Amino acid sequence: MNNYKREILDKICYTELVYERINKKLSIELSKDKIEEMIFAIIKETDETEFQKTGKNIYITNNERNIRLTINSYTNRIITADKMNKKKFLSKQNFKEISDTVDKAYDNFILENVNDHCLRIAVFQGEYKWHYHNNTEELFVVLEGELKIEITGSETVFLRNGDFIKIPAKTIHRTSAAVRTVNLCFEKNVEDTIFVD
């Protein structure tokens, strides 16, 4: 297990803007010193099993205080503190309701973390770059539209509503959609995308 806790406690740092952000998000009015004391105490009292690294950030979930901290794993800089919605942990969510809120031509974000994996949803129309992932497989599931997946050295695959495919690690591929398409992707929670020219 990585010892994120010790490193963060030793090296945590702040920007000037984060103090105001924390006061606003937590609906408090503390001085800079008191905010630093509070953040240090939250980190110290939180069990390291509640430290989740996702991409470049480490999320620290303190259920007793109902607070989640976001820390940049490269710089150990506190990014924000959020009140948690306790109902979210055991609440039903709906893929269609979530995807219907997306009004951009391309959006791809994590819906939920599951151990060291995540479930992502992508809503897009257009073409993504050729790429591969060194250390993670991807499982694509199409909910709406048609997802075209071009795979180097293999036939192009077209996925429609209800179809799924697993793309092995180190497989060069590109996704595209001629119409608005919604797909899920289940993969390891790592920054592992390598683009190919």
Side-chain angles (χ1 to χ4, degrees), residues 71-83:
I71 299 188
N72 183 303
S73 66
Y74 303 137
T75 62
N76 293 297
R77 179 178 50 85
I78 180 86
I79 296 170
T80 193
D82 295 292
K83 286 183 182 178

Side-chain angles (χ1 to χ4, degrees), residues 79-108:
I79 296 170
T80 193
D82 295 292
K83 286 183 182 178
M84 294 187 311
N85 178 357
K86 287 184 179 180
K87 292 180 182 177
K88 182 182 178 203
F89 293 112
L90 293 174
S91 67
K92 177 179 78 168
Q93 297 186 58
N94 183 279
F95 296 131
K96 177 129 178 66
E97 289 174 5
I98 293 168
S99 66
D100 284 350
T101 65
V102 175
D103 58 2
K104 300 185 224 173
Y106 176 83
D107 204 356
N108 183 328

Side-chain angles (χ1 to χ4, degrees), residues 109-160:
F109 53 92
I110 294 174
L111 290 175
E112 195 62 71
N113 292 302
V114 182
N115 300 317
D116 63 344
H117 285 67
C118 65
L119 179 65
R120 302 181 75 86
I121 190 166
V123 181
F124 80 110
Q125 182 174 353
E127 189 173 86
Y128 197 65
K129 299 175 187 176
W130 285 99
H131 67 283
Y132 66 96
H133 309 278
N134 252 340
N135 302 304
T136 186
E137 299 174 319
E138 292 179 290
L139 180 68
F140 288 96
V141 181
V142 171
L143 302 177
E144 175 186 321
E146 181 178 75
L147 184 66
K148 176 181 175 183
I149 304 178
E150 297 171 87
I151 304 166
T152 300
S154 187
E155 292 183 22
T156 297
V157 177
F158 292 89
L159 302 178
R160 293 174 187 85

